[in-house]
Amino acid sequence: MNKKSFILWMLGLGLLVATCILSDIITLGEKMSELHPLIGYVFYGTIGLITLCLVVIPTLRIIFTPEMKGHKSGNIHDMSAEELDKYIEQLRLSKEQRAHIAQANDRSDVVKAILDERKEQAEDIIRSTGESVFVITAVSQNKSVDMISTLSMNVRMIGRLIRQQGYRPSYIQLFKLYVSVISSSIIIGSVDELMDDIDLGSLVGVTGMKLAGSILKSGVNGAANAYITLKVGKSTIKYLEEGSKEFQENKKSVKHEIRRNARKELPKVVASGLKNSVNM
């Protein structure tokens, strides 16, 4: 997939998102306008500004970032001096990092340490984004707001991870990341609406169950969106580590590893999100 094809596919994806959320946005806008026409205009303007600043512009920045062909830190010690020189040039290191590498007795160890530090920083970015997504989508009771907030925070996370590394995944991999976020948001939103139609209090005959069911639904919604965020973040890192060709060769095992790691980290992210919410 080239740049032009990616942009066209993204426009199509944008139209799909607009179709899914337009009715909700218009309904909310009309309610705002009933209070005062100016409030309605401010609401529509805010939604447009959020979409432009947090989705469109970051996506354009990502598009014009060069593609990373592979970032396999595990093979560094097997590289020849010439291969290592070429690899170091790809990493977009700071002057201090380059000076540290030049003075080192074993350059491979220093490069490996730099990449390991980058990976730790990337994991922190993914975790903090997952916590934010959990809190916002758990509190929000609107499918469209959930979709916009989840999409914008995931795009921002992908952008931060790419800026940290200096390279982006291939266009087809980027498109898959966006599809994963949007399709999952649509499915979660649909399940959320289905749960709204179920009265748990009447179902089990327990007074107060409706409130408990609402809290449970919000928590499940937030956790599901947080899981998608963790999966998207870890997929981005794997794309950058493996490169397009290597990822495709080990696709099944790598995807299994991504899902397993996301599930493993989800309880910590949810617990941290709840703790931060209480301390606010």
Side-chain angles (χ1 to χ4, degrees), residues 112 181 198 227 258 274 280:
K112 181 72 164 60
V181 174
I198 300 174
Y227 171 73
I258 289 169
L274 288 171
M280 280 183 178

Side-chain angles (χ1 to χ4, degrees), residues 130 133 222-232 258-264 266 269:
V133 168
N225 282 296
Y227 171 73
I228 297 304
T229 300
L230 292 173
K231 196 156 73 74
V232 167
I258 289 169
R259 287 193 294 267
R260 185 182 69 245
N261 290 337
R263 286 195 300 268
K264 184 178 178 181
L266 181 60
V269 167

Side-chain angles (χ1 to χ4, degrees), residues 13-271:
L13 204 57
L15 288 173
L16 174 63
V17 173
T19 303
C20 292
I21 68 175
L22 197 56
S23 61
D24 273 357
I25 295 298
I26 291 173
T27 302
L28 284 172
E30 287 176 347
K31 288 181 180 179
M32 298 287 185
S33 298
E34 287 174 4
L35 299 174
H36 193 284
L38 185 60
I39 297 176
Y41 291 130
V42 170
F43 171 76
Y44 289 126
T46 302
I47 292 295
L49 195 61
I50 289 173
T51 304
L52 178 65
C53 295
L54 300 184
V55 178
V56 177
I57 293 176
T59 299
L60 290 174
R61 286 176 180 163
I62 290 170
I63 288 172
F64 291 101
T65 303
E67 180 183 349
M68 184 61 196
K69 299 299 182 181
H71 218 249
K72 295 179 74 62
S73 57
N75 296 336
I76 288 175
H77 291 91
D78 298 328
M79 293 180 182
S80 65
E82 186 179 345
E83 288 173 334
L84 187 59
D85 286 337
K86 191 179 293 185
Y87 186 72
I88 291 171
E89 279 301 313
Q90 291 184 345
L91 295 181
R92 296 194 173 188
L93 303 170
S94 65
K95 290 181 180 179
E96 292 78 9
Q97 288 173 328
R98 290 185 182 279
H100 190 195
I101 292 171
Q103 295 167 6
N105 293 324
D106 190 335
R107 296 187 303 162
S108 300
D109 285 341
V110 179
V111 173
K112 181 72 164 60
I114 290 171
L115 293 180
D116 288 343
E117 183 182 2
R118 282 185 176 182
K119 188 163 187 178
E120 286 180 15
Q121 292 170 348
E123 292 292 344
D124 288 339
I125 291 171
I126 295 168
R127 276 193 296 270
S128 63
T129 305
E131 291 171 13
S132 299
V133 168
F134 167 74
V135 172
I136 291 174
T137 56
V139 171
S140 168
Q141 297 294 312
N142 185 277
K143 179 183 72 173
S144 297
V145 173
D146 285 354
M147 182 179 289
I148 291 173
S149 56
T150 301
L151 179 60
S152 61
M153 284 188 284
N154 274 273
V155 170
R156 183 171 181 267
M157 175 185 67
I158 294 169
R160 289 177 68 190
L161 294 173
I162 288 173
R163 283 196 302 276
Q164 183 206 42
Q165 302 292 342
Y167 292 88
R168 61 165 174 79
S170 67
Y171 286 126
I172 187 68
Q173 289 172 334
L174 275 175
F175 184 71
K176 287 178 179 179
L177 291 174
Y178 277 75
V179 169
S180 177
V181 174
I182 292 168
S183 60
S184 300
S185 295
I186 292 172
I187 293 169
I188 292 168
S190 299
V191 173
D192 206 30
E193 287 183 337
L194 182 63
M195 289 179 70
D196 281 338
D197 296 332
I198 300 174
D199 186 350
L200 291 178
S202 301
L203 192 64
V204 299
V206 178
T207 305
M209 182 58 74
K210 188 173 183 179
L211 176 61
S214 179
I215 295 172
L216 176 63
K217 185 198 72 172
S218 296
V220 170
N221 184 39
N225 282 296
Y227 171 73
I228 297 304
T229 300
L230 292 173
K231 196 156 73 74
V232 167
K234 292 179 184 299
S235 296
T236 304
I237 294 300
K238 276 297 179 184
Y239 285 154
L240 293 172
E241 285 181 344
E242 302 288 333
S244 300
K245 185 179 178 181
E246 290 81 2
F247 186 92
Q248 205 62 31
E249 290 173 355
N250 305 294
K251 185 176 178 180
K252 190 173 181 180
S253 61
V254 172
K255 282 191 170 185
H256 178 71
E257 180 187 348
I258 289 169
R259 287 193 294 267
R260 185 182 69 245
N261 290 337
R263 286 195 300 268
K264 184 178 178 181
E265 201 160 335
L266 181 60
K268 297 177 185 176
V269 167
V270 170

